[in-house]
Amino acid sequence: MAKTLIFGHKNPDTDTICSALAYADLKVKLGEDAEPARLGEVNKETQFALDYFKAEAPQLIEKVEDGAEVILVDHNEFQQSVENINQAKITEVIDHHRVSNFETKEPLFFRAEPVGCTATILNKMYKEKNVEVSKEIAGLLLSAIISDSLLLKSPTCTEEDVNAARELAEIAGVNLEEYGLDMLQAGADLSDKSALELVTMDAKEFTMGNAKVEIAQVNAVDTETVYAIQPELEKEINKIVDDKDLDLFLFVVTDILNNDSEVLALGEGKGKVESAYHVTLSDKNRALLKGVVSRKKQIVTVLTEEFSK
Amino acid sequence: MAKTLIFGHKNPDTDTICSALAYADLKVKLGEDAEPARLGEVNKETQFALDYFKAEAPQLIEKVEDGAEVILVDHNEFQQSVENINQAKITEVIDHHRVSNFETKEPLFFRAEPVGCTATILNKMYKEKNVEVSKEIAGLLLSAIISDSLLLKSPTCTEEDVNAARELAEIAGVNLEEYGLDMLQAGADLSDKSALELVTMDAKEFTMGNAKVEIAQVNAVDTETVYAIQPELEKEINKIVDDKDLDLFLFVVTDILNNDSEVLALGEGKGKVESAYHVTLSDKNRALLKGVVSRKKQIVTVLTEEFSK
């Protein structure tokens, strides 16, 4: 029988990659037949973490076979998952997002908790199963928490995440603040990215009310540098809006030093951004969202409510 | 702020009622503000358990307010839940069923495990939280396991359920086999039920492929006694099929002594029962399904697959 594949969402981020690697490690140590996979390119931030802790990126997969046993980490919404997911046998989900557009034919093991990062749940699971977290795995789990919490500053970050991060930094043998800032800055180096890469590298699609919305987010040290190529960004986004028949595409550039986001909104539903955040989009279709850094907690929930009105 | 309501599915069974009571007990002992509720009449089997362990049935509710904080036990599919559930704030789900027709706007605590009974998961949660299970709660959790597993004989019953049942019988101070058979027989006393009550008392609605299917199940010591009023049963079922525009209504009479089910299938999709189980419906639209006792594992999954072909 084929091994159970463990993977996170499309356009993988550090939590998705590191949680797949860690959960496969835990499963193997428990004597189960599992292996990690990924659904897209490893980004620079994640590559920095993998290099630092001498880990290999998991295999790239594009689709799964009918009936294949799979475990989802860090996501549950089918449109964010692998091709053919609705024909796979999902045996487990470990996640920290809302539950939506997900269903199974049979009972499964589903564990979602409202914490800042999947890695925080996995760190708990190692303890529950009495399996020691190795230095390498500690480094990967820590990297995931730093990434999802923007170095513990995001409103999604809970006390559990903070405690897990401190504990894991100790095992990994790194200084949390120093390592964290180095990792985030490696990810915020966007100098070699094309406009198309910028708007797709961390894009996720959502159904909100009756609307189809895509939200892409990049971290930057200086948001203006990203918008230096705004005409090209808009060209790519408009193409995506047309191709996918989206109501809204929101491009979010998050300033990792000031913890704000400068967003670009395109599509017929862009007025929803104005009403949801009480801002006015500039003639460049942009607005500064003060203190907004979390797509999940400060954007998806707010826009879902607005589109459901 | 209002207390968090904890409730199971419509047409409550013993697991749904006892799990709501037990989880509210655990929450209160952990210092949280929660209270149990139910969405329908307590059946005879559950009443036997409540009387035996001197517990009160939770309050009956019909709908929840917009934004009310609620915890779902023993179900997640919205069509099996309380009226207005899609406007409530679901903070937790503890369940052992497939996940389907469920979604939230925000991350939540969702714990589903493929075990035979929600009470088995709750028994584990008491341990994880270091809260002692009282004699009364042990009796209720035990009753739930006996009910869902048909005294540990259903194919849904796992080793975890068996171990939990043995452990809880000890705390509750009862003989598992004796108490279990008494409880099941109390539930199988259908002598005072009208045809309408029989076909609605434990009915659940499912979406299967594009089909709307309702499955009602009753336990009996002698299935023929139930079918003595088959014309009346059919009349009531046909009314429900028309009212709800169902593709199939499957009435399942489970023989608790022989562990088989005699089913009655009505609706345009009744042929699916024949193809799924390789049986031929008699001219009375009935068939004996040998060894079939679990709606979840032996009926819902089988028919969902058939309707999805």
Side-chain angles (χ1 to χ4, degrees):
Chain A
M1 196 170 140
K3 288 183 182 188
T4 301
L5 287 175
I6 304 180
F7 49 84
H9 52 76
K10 281 180 192 157
N11 298 324
D13 59 10
T14 303
D15 188 23
T16 260
I17 296 285
C18 293
S19 289
L21 288 168
Y23 199 32
D25 170 78
L26 178 58
K27 285 283 182 192
V28 167
K29 284 178 177 155
L30 291 169
E32 294 177 46
D33 225 8
E35 57 186 346
R38 64 185 158 93
L39 308 186
E41 291 310 306
V42 171
N43 69 33
K44 280 190 191 172
E45 180 194 277
T46 309
Q47 194 59 55
F48 178 92
L50 294 174
D51 292 344
Y52 195 99
F53 293 103
K54 300 184 177 57
E56 296 241 342
Q59 63 184 308
L60 179 68
I61 58 167
E62 292 197 339
K63 63 171 288 185
V64 290
E65 299 301 316
D66 284 12
E69 293 205 358
V70 302
I71 293 174
L72 310 188
V73 292
D74 196 33
H75 75 299
N76 65 80
E77 304 191 36
F78 281 2
Q79 77 279 10
Q80 296 168 4
S81 198
V82 74
E83 197 183 317
N84 205 37
I85 186 65
N86 54 346
Q87 295 303 318
K89 182 171 158 60
I90 304 167
T91 59
E92 295 188 36
V93 176
I94 314 290
D95 194 13
H96 68 122
H97 295 89
R98 71 171 188 180
V99 178
S100 188
N101 192 19
F102 175 87
E103 64 170 2
T104 59
K105 285 200 197 77
E106 289 177 60
L108 78 163
F109 185 94
F110 194 118
R111 179 168 183 169
E113 299 188 22
V115 292
C117 182
T118 306
T120 299
I121 305 170
L122 290 174
N123 184 47
K124 244 192 301 193
M125 291 176 76
Y126 272 89
K127 287 181 198 172
E128 289 166 6
K129 304 284 185 192
N130 285 312
V131 175
E132 208 182 322
V133 175
S134 67
K135 186 174 170 169
E136 175 194 327
I137 295 293
L140 298 177
L141 292 173
L142 171 66
S143 301
I145 298 174
I146 291 167
S147 172
D148 269 17
S149 70
L150 221 63
L151 233 183
L152 313 182
K153 284 188 202 120
S154 167
T156 57
C157 186
T158 67
E159 204 182 320
E160 274 195 64
D161 299 297
V162 174
N163 293 339
R166 297 233 162 94
E167 190 178 299
L168 291 162
E170 188 83 20
I171 302 172
V174 296
N175 175 297
L176 174 57
E177 298 291 328
E178 275 176 31
Y179 171 76
L181 204 57
D182 286 350
M183 190 194 83
L184 289 179
Q185 282 182 331
D189 170 17
L190 304 170
S191 53
D192 63 339
K193 298 290 178 202
S194 69
L196 178 60
E197 283 170 319
L198 287 170
V199 302
T200 56
M201 58 189 271
D202 182 26
K204 285 187 185 176
E205 199 181 311
F206 301 90
T207 304
M208 299 180 177
N210 295 317
K212 264 175 87 180
V213 176
E214 190 159 319
I215 305 174
Q217 184 172 29
V218 295
N219 288 343
V221 177
D222 172 18
T223 61
E224 281 309 319
T225 317
V226 179
Y227 283 116
I229 54 161
Q230 182 165 347
E232 289 91 328
L233 294 170
E234 289 199 15
K235 211 177 108 197
E236 298 298 347
I237 292 172
N238 283 326
K239 251 190 260 169
I240 298 170
V241 170
D242 282 351
D243 283 357
K244 298 190 180 173
D245 200 18
L246 299 175
D247 296 278
L248 172 66
F249 189 108
L250 190 68
F251 181 60
V252 181
V253 185
T254 299
D255 181 328
I256 61 169
L257 300 180
N258 296 312
N259 300 309
D260 296 322
S261 291
E262 177 81 15
V263 303
L264 167 62
L266 294 172
E268 293 199 350
K270 71 182 182 186
K272 295 287 185 186
V273 177
E274 298 189 307
S275 49
Y277 293 98
H278 310 291
V279 294
T280 306
L281 291 170
S282 68
D283 52 6
K284 289 176 169 171
N285 292 312
R286 279 166 48 187
L288 175 69
L289 304 185
K290 292 291 291 177
V292 170
V293 298
S294 163
R295 172 164 48 191
K296 183 167 76 168
K297 202 153 186 165
Q298 297 174 294
I299 301 178
V300 176
T301 51
V302 172
L303 285 179
T304 300
E305 189 155 304
E306 197 66 25
F307 275 103
S308 305
K309 272 181 185 168
Chain B
M1 197 170 141
K3 288 182 182 187
T4 300
L5 286 175
I6 304 180
F7 49 84
H9 53 76
K10 282 180 191 158
N11 297 324
D13 59 11
T14 304
D15 188 23
T16 259
I17 296 286
C18 294
S19 288
L21 287 168
Y23 200 32
D25 170 78
L26 178 58
K27 286 283 182 192
V28 167
K29 284 179 177 154
L30 290 169
E32 295 177 45
D33 224 6
E35 59 186 342
R38 64 183 159 95
L39 308 186
E41 290 310 307
V42 171
N43 69 32
K44 280 190 190 170
E45 180 194 276
T46 309
Q47 194 59 55
F48 178 92
L50 294 174
D51 291 345
Y52 195 100
F53 294 104
K54 301 185 178 54
E56 296 241 341
Q59 63 184 310
L60 179 68
I61 58 167
E62 292 198 340
K63 63 172 287 186
V64 290
E65 299 300 316
D66 284 13
E69 293 204 358
V70 302
I71 293 174
L72 310 188
V73 292
D74 197 33
H75 75 299
N76 66 80
E77 303 191 37
F78 281 2
Q79 78 279 10
Q80 296 168 3
S81 198
V82 74
E83 197 184 319
N84 205 37
I85 186 66
N86 54 345
Q87 295 303 319
K89 182 171 158 58
I90 304 167
T91 59
E92 296 188 36
V93 176
I94 314 290
D95 193 12
H96 69 122
H97 294 89
R98 71 172 188 181
V99 178
S100 188
N101 192 19
F102 175 86
E103 64 169 3
T104 59
K105 284 200 197 77
E106 288 177 60
L108 77 163
F109 185 94
F110 193 119
R111 180 169 183 168
E113 299 188 23
V115 292
C117 182
T118 307
T120 300
I121 306 171
L122 290 174
N123 184 47
K124 245 193 300 194
M125 291 176 76
Y126 272 90
K127 287 181 198 174
E128 290 166 7
K129 304 284 185 193
N130 285 312
V131 175
E132 209 181 321
V133 175
S134 68
K135 186 175 170 169
E136 174 194 328
I137 295 293
L140 297 177
L141 293 173
L142 171 66
S143 302
I145 298 174
I146 292 167
S147 172
D148 269 18
S149 71
L150 221 63
L151 201 30
L152 312 182
K153 285 188 202 119
S154 167
T156 57
C157 186
T158 68
E159 204 183 321
E160 274 195 64
D161 299 299
V162 174
N163 293 339
R166 298 234 162 93
E167 190 178 300
L168 290 162
E170 188 84 21
I171 302 172
V174 297
N175 176 296
L176 175 56
E177 299 292 328
E178 275 176 32
Y179 171 74
L181 204 57
D182 286 350
M183 190 195 82
L184 290 179
Q185 282 182 330
D189 170 16
L190 304 170
S191 54
D192 63 340
K193 298 291 179 204
S194 69
L196 178 60
E197 284 170 319
L198 287 170
V199 301
T200 56
M201 59 188 272
D202 182 25
K204 285 188 185 176
E205 197 180 312
F206 301 90
T207 304
M208 300 182 177
N210 294 317
K212 264 176 87 181
V213 176
E214 190 159 320
I215 305 174
Q217 184 172 29
V218 295
N219 289 343
V221 177
D222 173 18
T223 62
E224 281 310 316
T225 319
V226 178
Y227 284 114
I229 55 161
Q230 181 165 348
E232 290 89 328
L233 294 170
E234 289 198 16
K235 210 178 108 197
E236 297 298 347
I237 291 172
N238 283 326
K239 251 190 259 168
I240 298 169
V241 170
D242 282 350
D243 284 356
K244 297 190 179 173
D245 200 18
L246 298 175
D247 296 278
L248 171 67
F249 190 109
L250 190 68
F251 180 61
V252 181
V253 185
T254 300
D255 181 328
I256 61 169
L257 300 180
N258 297 311
N259 300 308
D260 296 321
S261 292
E262 176 82 16
V263 303
L264 167 63
L266 294 172
E268 292 198 352
K270 70 182 182 186
K272 296 287 186 187
V273 177
E274 298 189 308
S275 50
Y277 293 97
H278 310 291
V279 293
T280 306
L281 292 169
S282 69
D283 52 5
K284 288 176 169 170
N285 292 312
R286 279 167 48 187
L288 175 69
L289 304 185
K290 291 291 291 178
V292 170
V293 298
S294 164
R295 171 165 49 191
K296 183 167 77 168
K297 202 153 187 164
Q298 297 174 296
I299 302 178
V300 175
T301 52
V302 172
L303 285 180
T304 299
E305 189 155 301
E306 198 64 25
F307 274 105
S308 304
K309 274 181 185 168

